[in-house]
mmCIF file of all heavy atoms in Angstrom:
data_model
loop_
_atom_site.group_PDB
_atom_site.id
_atom_site.type_symbol
_atom_site.label_atom_id
_atom_site.label_comp_id
_atom_site.label_asym_id
_atom_site.label_seq_id
_atom_site.Cartn_x
_atom_site.Cartn_y
_atom_site.Cartn_z
ATOM 1 N N GLY A 6 -40.829 -13.276 95.397
ATOM 2 C CA GLY A 6 -41.699 -12.393 94.623
ATOM 3 C C GLY A 6 -43.127 -12.868 94.725
ATOM 4 O O GLY A 6 -43.389 -14.072 94.915
ATOM 5 N N TYR A 7 -44.063 -11.925 94.597
ATOM 6 C CA TYR A 7 -45.477 -12.277 94.778
ATOM 7 C C TYR A 7 -46.346 -11.459 93.855
ATOM 8 O O TYR A 7 -46.102 -10.257 93.639
ATOM 9 C CB TYR A 7 -45.885 -11.989 96.226
ATOM 10 C CG TYR A 7 -47.375 -12.123 96.480
ATOM 11 C CD1 TYR A 7 -47.966 -13.364 96.613
ATOM 12 C CD2 TYR A 7 -48.196 -10.987 96.561
ATOM 13 C CE1 TYR A 7 -49.343 -13.489 96.826
ATOM 14 C CE2 TYR A 7 -49.566 -11.100 96.781
ATOM 15 C CZ TYR A 7 -50.129 -12.366 96.907
ATOM 16 O OH TYR A 7 -51.471 -12.495 97.116
ATOM 17 N N THR A 8 -47.386 -12.093 93.301
ATOM 18 C CA THR A 8 -48.457 -11.330 92.671
ATOM 19 C C THR A 8 -49.764 -12.054 92.971
ATOM 20 O O THR A 8 -49.852 -13.275 92.876
ATOM 21 C CB THR A 8 -48.228 -11.115 91.155
ATOM 22 O OG1 THR A 8 -49.382 -10.466 90.638
ATOM 23 C CG2 THR A 8 -47.973 -12.395 90.389
ATOM 24 N N GLY A 9 -50.767 -11.305 93.416
ATOM 25 C CA GLY A 9 -52.043 -11.918 93.807
ATOM 26 C C GLY A 9 -53.030 -10.858 94.225
ATOM 27 O O GLY A 9 -53.003 -9.738 93.690
ATOM 28 N N ASN A 10 -53.865 -11.202 95.197
ATOM 29 C CA ASN A 10 -54.880 -10.241 95.640
ATOM 30 C C ASN A 10 -54.549 -9.602 96.980
ATOM 31 O O ASN A 10 -55.162 -8.617 97.367
ATOM 32 C CB ASN A 10 -56.243 -10.942 95.735
ATOM 33 C CG ASN A 10 -56.699 -11.382 94.356
ATOM 34 O OD1 ASN A 10 -56.707 -10.577 93.427
ATOM 35 N ND2 ASN A 10 -57.049 -12.645 94.206
ATOM 36 N N ALA A 11 -53.595 -10.191 97.688
ATOM 37 C CA ALA A 11 -53.261 -9.677 99.025
ATOM 38 C C ALA A 11 -52.200 -8.579 98.915
ATOM 39 O O ALA A 11 -51.462 -8.524 97.920
ATOM 40 C CB ALA A 11 -52.727 -10.817 99.871
ATOM 41 N N ALA A 13 -48.769 -7.064 99.021
ATOM 42 C CA ALA A 13 -47.548 -7.843 98.772
ATOM 43 C C ALA A 13 -46.544 -7.758 99.917
ATOM 44 O O ALA A 13 -45.846 -8.736 100.208
ATOM 45 C CB ALA A 13 -46.901 -7.367 97.472
ATOM 46 N N VAL A 36 -42.753 -2.799 95.609
ATOM 47 C CA VAL A 36 -44.103 -3.191 95.194
ATOM 48 C C VAL A 36 -44.571 -2.191 94.140
ATOM 49 O O VAL A 36 -43.992 -1.099 93.990
ATOM 50 C CB VAL A 36 -45.114 -3.219 96.370
ATOM 51 C CG1 VAL A 36 -44.752 -4.295 97.374
ATOM 52 C CG2 VAL A 36 -45.221 -1.871 97.037
ATOM 53 N N VAL A 37 -45.628 -2.581 93.440
ATOM 54 C CA VAL A 37 -46.116 -1.701 92.388
ATOM 55 C C VAL A 37 -47.644 -1.611 92.477
ATOM 56 O O VAL A 37 -48.310 -2.601 92.764
ATOM 57 C CB VAL A 37 -45.640 -2.201 90.993
ATOM 58 C CG1 VAL A 37 -46.095 -3.613 90.708
ATOM 59 C CG2 VAL A 37 -46.089 -1.252 89.887
ATOM 60 N N SER A 38 -48.160 -0.401 92.288
ATOM 61 C CA SER A 38 -49.621 -0.231 92.200
ATOM 62 C C SER A 38 -49.913 0.776 91.093
ATOM 63 O O SER A 38 -49.051 1.591 90.730
ATOM 64 C CB SER A 38 -50.210 0.254 93.522
ATOM 65 O OG SER A 38 -49.920 1.617 93.709
ATOM 66 N N ARG A 39 -51.148 0.687 90.573
ATOM 67 C CA ARG A 39 -51.533 1.575 89.470
ATOM 68 C C ARG A 39 -51.420 3.038 89.904
ATOM 69 O O ARG A 39 -50.920 3.879 89.176
ATOM 70 C CB ARG A 39 -52.975 1.251 89.045
ATOM 71 C CG ARG A 39 -53.341 1.793 87.682
ATOM 72 C CD ARG A 39 -54.618 1.188 87.146
ATOM 73 N NE ARG A 39 -54.572 -0.253 86.965
ATOM 74 C CZ ARG A 39 -53.937 -0.878 85.979
ATOM 75 N NH1 ARG A 39 -53.264 -0.176 85.087
ATOM 76 N NH2 ARG A 39 -53.950 -2.189 85.875
ATOM 77 N N GLU A 40 -51.868 3.319 91.125
ATOM 78 C CA GLU A 40 -51.909 4.709 91.591
ATOM 79 C C GLU A 40 -50.522 5.257 91.922
ATOM 80 O O GLU A 40 -50.194 6.388 91.600
ATOM 81 C CB GLU A 40 -52.779 4.843 92.846
ATOM 82 C CG GLU A 40 -54.220 4.412 92.671
ATOM 83 C CD GLU A 40 -54.370 2.889 92.564
ATOM 84 O OE1 GLU A 40 -53.531 2.157 93.145
ATOM 85 O OE2 GLU A 40 -55.298 2.440 91.860
ATOM 86 N N GLY A 42 -47.391 3.628 91.354
ATOM 87 C CA GLY A 42 -46.239 3.119 90.601
ATOM 88 C C GLY A 42 -45.338 2.277 91.499
ATOM 89 O O GLY A 42 -45.803 1.634 92.441
ATOM 90 N N LEU A 43 -44.024 2.313 91.198
ATOM 91 C CA LEU A 43 -43.073 1.506 91.975
ATOM 92 C C LEU A 43 -42.746 2.197 93.292
ATOM 93 O O LEU A 43 -42.443 3.385 93.315
ATOM 94 C CB LEU A 43 -41.780 1.344 91.189
ATOM 95 C CG LEU A 43 -41.801 0.364 90.011
ATOM 96 C CD1 LEU A 43 -40.507 0.481 89.218
ATOM 97 C CD2 LEU A 43 -41.977 -1.052 90.521
ATOM 98 N N ALA A 66 -48.122 0.388 98.860
ATOM 99 C CA ALA A 66 -49.363 -0.181 98.326
ATOM 100 C C ALA A 66 -49.081 -0.997 97.085
ATOM 101 O O ALA A 66 -48.346 -0.567 96.193
ATOM 102 C CB ALA A 66 -50.326 0.944 97.989
ATOM 103 N N GLY A 67 -49.672 -2.194 97.013
ATOM 104 C CA GLY A 67 -49.526 -3.005 95.806
ATOM 105 C C GLY A 67 -49.709 -4.467 96.124
ATOM 106 O O GLY A 67 -49.386 -4.916 97.231
ATOM 107 N N THR A 68 -50.213 -5.186 95.148
ATOM 108 C CA THR A 68 -50.421 -6.617 95.336
ATOM 109 C C THR A 68 -49.425 -7.421 94.487
ATOM 110 O O THR A 68 -49.599 -8.619 94.297
ATOM 111 C CB THR A 68 -51.869 -7.011 94.964
ATOM 112 O OG1 THR A 68 -52.097 -6.596 93.620
ATOM 113 C CG2 THR A 68 -52.875 -6.368 95.901
ATOM 114 N N ALA A 69 -48.426 -6.741 93.959
ATOM 115 C CA ALA A 69 -47.326 -7.447 93.288
ATOM 116 C C ALA A 69 -46.030 -6.841 93.803
ATOM 117 O O ALA A 69 -45.943 -5.622 93.970
ATOM 118 C CB ALA A 69 -47.417 -7.288 91.775
ATOM 119 N N GLY A 70 -45.054 -7.694 94.069
ATOM 120 C CA GLY A 70 -43.813 -7.143 94.598
ATOM 121 C C GLY A 70 -42.668 -8.136 94.565
ATOM 122 O O GLY A 70 -42.850 -9.334 94.305
ATOM 123 N N PRO A 145 -43.107 -5.537 77.705
ATOM 124 C CA PRO A 145 -42.032 -5.806 78.674
ATOM 125 C C PRO A 145 -41.276 -7.096 78.382
ATOM 126 O O PRO A 145 -40.062 -7.165 78.573
ATOM 127 C CB PRO A 145 -42.764 -5.930 80.018
ATOM 128 C CG PRO A 145 -44.126 -5.375 79.820
ATOM 129 C CD PRO A 145 -44.409 -5.344 78.360
ATOM 130 N N ILE A 164 -38.491 -9.179 88.270
ATOM 131 C CA ILE A 164 -38.620 -7.869 87.614
ATOM 132 C C ILE A 164 -40.041 -7.336 87.793
ATOM 133 O O ILE A 164 -41.017 -8.066 87.581
ATOM 134 C CB ILE A 164 -38.337 -8.009 86.091
ATOM 135 C CG1 ILE A 164 -36.917 -8.563 85.882
ATOM 136 C CG2 ILE A 164 -38.533 -6.682 85.364
ATOM 137 C CD1 ILE A 164 -36.645 -9.059 84.466
ATOM 138 N N LEU A 165 -40.144 -6.066 88.166
ATOM 139 C CA LEU A 165 -41.447 -5.382 88.259
ATOM 140 C C LEU A 165 -41.434 -4.202 87.305
ATOM 141 O O LEU A 165 -40.417 -3.500 87.197
ATOM 142 C CB LEU A 165 -41.638 -4.788 89.650
ATOM 143 C CG LEU A 165 -42.096 -5.649 90.820
ATOM 144 C CD1 LEU A 165 -42.337 -4.743 92.012
ATOM 145 C CD2 LEU A 165 -43.349 -6.437 90.481
ATOM 146 N N CYS A 166 -42.567 -3.939 86.648
ATOM 147 C CA CYS A 166 -42.654 -2.788 85.747
ATOM 148 C C CYS A 166 -43.710 -1.829 86.296
ATOM 149 O O CYS A 166 -44.810 -2.263 86.679
ATOM 150 C CB CYS A 166 -43.081 -3.218 84.344
ATOM 151 S SG CYS A 166 -42.000 -4.445 83.648
ATOM 152 N N ALA A 167 -43.386 -0.535 86.269
ATOM 153 C CA ALA A 167 -44.279 0.471 86.864
ATOM 154 C C ALA A 167 -45.657 0.464 86.208
ATOM 155 O O ALA A 167 -46.658 0.686 86.875
ATOM 156 C CB ALA A 167 -43.639 1.846 86.735
ATOM 157 N N ASP A 168 -45.695 0.189 84.886
ATOM 158 C CA ASP A 168 -46.994 0.288 84.214
ATOM 159 C C ASP A 168 -47.715 -1.056 84.086
ATOM 160 O O ASP A 168 -48.685 -1.178 83.365
ATOM 161 C CB ASP A 168 -46.833 0.965 82.843
ATOM 162 C CG ASP A 168 -45.768 0.271 82.013
ATOM 163 O OD1 ASP A 168 -45.219 -0.742 82.505
ATOM 164 O OD2 ASP A 168 -45.496 0.736 80.895
ATOM 165 N N ARG A 169 -47.228 -2.092 84.775
ATOM 166 C CA ARG A 169 -47.925 -3.393 84.766
ATOM 167 C C ARG A 169 -48.088 -3.855 86.219
ATOM 168 O O ARG A 169 -47.357 -4.725 86.704
ATOM 169 C CB ARG A 169 -47.130 -4.433 83.965
ATOM 170 C CG ARG A 169 -46.954 -4.077 82.495
ATOM 171 C CD ARG A 169 -48.296 -4.000 81.757
ATOM 172 N NE ARG A 169 -49.033 -5.247 81.830
ATOM 173 C CZ ARG A 169 -48.912 -6.231 80.932
ATOM 174 N NH1 ARG A 169 -48.123 -6.085 79.894
ATOM 175 N NH2 ARG A 169 -49.615 -7.325 81.057
ATOM 176 N N PRO A 170 -49.061 -3.255 86.955
ATOM 177 C CA PRO A 170 -49.101 -3.429 88.406
ATOM 178 C C PRO A 170 -49.487 -4.818 88.904
ATOM 179 O O PRO A 170 -49.412 -5.053 90.101
ATOM 180 C CB PRO A 170 -50.139 -2.393 88.860
ATOM 181 C CG PRO A 170 -50.899 -2.017 87.657
ATOM 182 C CD PRO A 170 -50.055 -2.298 86.462
ATOM 183 N N ASP A 171 -49.889 -5.722 88.019
ATOM 184 C CA ASP A 171 -50.168 -7.062 88.560
ATOM 185 C C ASP A 171 -49.165 -8.085 88.035
ATOM 186 O O ASP A 171 -49.313 -9.270 88.235
ATOM 187 C CB ASP A 171 -51.599 -7.509 88.188
ATOM 188 C CG ASP A 171 -51.688 -7.899 86.721
ATOM 189 O OD1 ASP A 171 -50.961 -7.272 85.909
ATOM 190 O OD2 ASP A 171 -52.448 -8.828 86.405
ATOM 191 N N MET A 172 -48.125 -7.621 87.360
ATOM 192 C CA MET A 172 -47.244 -8.567 86.673
ATOM 193 C C MET A 172 -45.844 -8.626 87.295
ATOM 194 O O MET A 172 -45.297 -7.623 87.732
ATOM 195 C CB MET A 172 -47.121 -8.138 85.208
ATOM 196 C CG MET A 172 -46.491 -9.198 84.338
ATOM 197 S SD MET A 172 -46.381 -8.612 82.640
ATOM 198 C CE MET A 172 -45.012 -7.528 82.750
ATOM 199 N N LEU A 173 -45.337 -9.821 87.274
ATOM 200 C CA LEU A 173 -43.998 -10.068 87.792
ATOM 201 C C LEU A 173 -43.299 -10.933 86.737
ATOM 202 O O LEU A 173 -43.903 -11.881 86.233
ATOM 203 C CB LEU A 173 -44.182 -10.844 89.098
ATOM 204 C CG LEU A 173 -43.030 -11.388 89.884
ATOM 205 C CD1 LEU A 173 -42.108 -10.253 90.280
ATOM 206 C CD2 LEU A 173 -43.572 -12.057 91.145
ATOM 207 N N ILE A 174 -42.053 -10.587 86.393
ATOM 208 C CA ILE A 174 -41.326 -11.409 85.412
ATOM 209 C C ILE A 174 -40.120 -12.029 86.103
ATOM 210 O O ILE A 174 -39.469 -11.384 86.940
ATOM 211 C CB ILE A 174 -40.891 -10.578 84.189
ATOM 212 C CG1 ILE A 174 -42.131 -10.012 83.482
ATOM 213 C CG2 ILE A 174 -40.082 -11.418 83.207
ATOM 214 C CD1 ILE A 174 -41.821 -9.157 82.250
ATOM 215 N N GLY A 189 -55.165 -18.074 92.828
ATOM 216 C CA GLY A 189 -55.280 -16.647 92.520
ATOM 217 C C GLY A 189 -54.031 -15.867 92.872
ATOM 218 O O GLY A 189 -54.042 -14.633 92.974
ATOM 219 N N GLU A 190 -52.949 -16.574 93.092
ATOM 220 C CA GLU A 190 -51.683 -15.889 93.399
ATOM 221 C C GLU A 190 -50.520 -16.750 92.917
ATOM 222 O O GLU A 190 -50.634 -17.966 92.818
ATOM 223 C CB GLU A 190 -51.564 -15.593 94.906
ATOM 224 C CG GLU A 190 -51.808 -16.783 95.795
ATOM 225 C CD GLU A 190 -51.881 -16.418 97.273
ATOM 226 O OE1 GLU A 190 -51.961 -15.222 97.625
ATOM 227 O OE2 GLU A 190 -51.831 -17.356 98.081
ATOM 228 N N SER A 191 -49.411 -16.094 92.608
ATOM 229 C CA SER A 191 -48.223 -16.802 92.128
ATOM 230 C C SER A 191 -46.993 -16.215 92.800
ATOM 231 O O SER A 191 -46.996 -15.050 93.215
ATOM 232 C CB SER A 191 -48.062 -16.625 90.613
ATOM 233 O OG SER A 191 -49.272 -16.829 89.956
ATOM 234 N N PHE A 192 -45.951 -17.045 92.858
ATOM 235 C CA PHE A 192 -44.753 -16.662 93.614
ATOM 236 C C PHE A 192 -43.497 -16.992 92.818
ATOM 237 O O PHE A 192 -43.513 -17.901 91.982
ATOM 238 C CB PHE A 192 -44.662 -17.476 94.909
ATOM 239 C CG PHE A 192 -45.885 -17.377 95.788
ATOM 240 C CD1 PHE A 192 -47.000 -18.157 95.529
ATOM 241 C CD2 PHE A 192 -45.912 -16.510 96.863
ATOM 242 C CE1 PHE A 192 -48.130 -18.078 96.332
ATOM 243 C CE2 PHE A 192 -47.033 -16.419 97.682
ATOM 244 C CZ PHE A 192 -48.148 -17.209 97.409
ATOM 245 N N ALA A 216 -40.358 -16.425 82.983
ATOM 246 C CA ALA A 216 -41.737 -16.672 83.420
ATOM 247 C C ALA A 216 -42.452 -15.346 83.610
ATOM 248 O O ALA A 216 -41.861 -14.366 84.097
ATOM 249 C CB ALA A 216 -41.740 -17.456 84.725
ATOM 250 N N VAL A 217 -43.715 -15.327 83.210
ATOM 251 C CA VAL A 217 -44.549 -14.146 83.436
ATOM 252 C C VAL A 217 -45.639 -14.561 84.411
ATOM 253 O O VAL A 217 -46.410 -15.484 84.145
ATOM 254 C CB VAL A 217 -45.179 -13.650 82.106
ATOM 255 C CG1 VAL A 217 -46.074 -12.450 82.370
ATOM 256 C CG2 VAL A 217 -44.087 -13.302 81.119
ATOM 257 N N LEU A 218 -45.676 -13.899 85.551
ATOM 258 C CA LEU A 218 -46.622 -14.271 86.599
ATOM 259 C C LEU A 218 -47.651 -13.158 86.773
ATOM 260 O O LEU A 218 -47.286 -11.973 86.879
ATOM 261 C CB LEU A 218 -45.907 -14.475 87.941
ATOM 262 C CG LEU A 218 -44.878 -15.600 88.035
ATOM 263 C CD1 LEU A 218 -43.503 -15.102 87.597
ATOM 264 C CD2 LEU A 218 -44.791 -16.123 89.449
ATOM 265 N N THR A 219 -48.897 -13.565 86.799
ATOM 266 C CA THR A 219 -49.976 -12.628 87.110
ATOM 267 C C THR A 219 -50.931 -13.367 88.043
ATOM 268 O O THR A 219 -50.751 -14.558 88.301
ATOM 269 C CB THR A 219 -50.764 -12.204 85.846
ATOM 270 O OG1 THR A 219 -51.306 -13.383 85.266
ATOM 271 C CG2 THR A 219 -49.890 -11.465 84.860
ATOM 272 N N ARG A 220 -51.961 -12.651 88.500
ATOM 273 C CA ARG A 220 -52.979 -13.304 89.325
ATOM 274 C C ARG A 220 -53.588 -14.501 88.605
ATOM 275 O O ARG A 220 -53.965 -15.492 89.202
ATOM 276 C CB ARG A 220 -54.113 -12.308 89.585
ATOM 277 C CG ARG A 220 -54.023 -11.687 90.925
ATOM 278 C CD ARG A 220 -55.051 -10.606 91.038
ATOM 279 N NE ARG A 220 -54.370 -9.355 91.297
ATOM 280 C CZ ARG A 220 -54.708 -8.194 90.793
ATOM 281 N NH1 ARG A 220 -55.717 -8.081 89.971
ATOM 282 N NH2 ARG A 220 -54.025 -7.120 91.114
ATOM 283 N N ALA A 221 -53.698 -14.360 87.283
ATOM 284 C CA ALA A 221 -54.366 -15.398 86.495
ATOM 285 C C ALA A 221 -53.520 -16.657 86.375
ATOM 286 O O ALA A 221 -54.032 -17.717 86.005
ATOM 287 C CB ALA A 221 -54.687 -14.856 85.115
ATOM 288 N N GLY A 222 -52.263 -16.589 86.659
ATOM 289 C CA GLY A 222 -51.424 -17.784 86.554
ATOM 290 C C GLY A 222 -50.032 -17.466 86.062
ATOM 291 O O GLY A 222 -49.602 -16.309 86.040
ATOM 292 N N VAL A 223 -49.332 -18.533 85.655
ATOM 293 C CA VAL A 223 -47.922 -18.391 85.277
ATOM 294 C C VAL A 223 -47.728 -18.917 83.858
ATOM 295 O O VAL A 223 -48.190 -20.004 83.526
ATOM 296 C CB VAL A 223 -47.036 -19.233 86.236
ATOM 297 C CG1 VAL A 223 -45.573 -19.038 85.905
ATOM 298 C CG2 VAL A 223 -47.313 -18.879 87.689
#
Side-chain angles (χ1 to χ4, degrees):
Y7 172 77
T8 175
N10 295 309
V36 295
V37 58
S38 75
R39 197 166 299 285
E40 300 73 29
L43 285 171
T68 57
I164 301 166
L165 279 186
C166 303
D168 53 3
R169 298 297 301 270
D171 74 327
M172 193 180 77
L173 175 59
I174 299 180
E190 51 188 12
S191 314
F192 305 82
V217 178
L218 297 87
T219 59
R220 259 173 240 142
V223 183

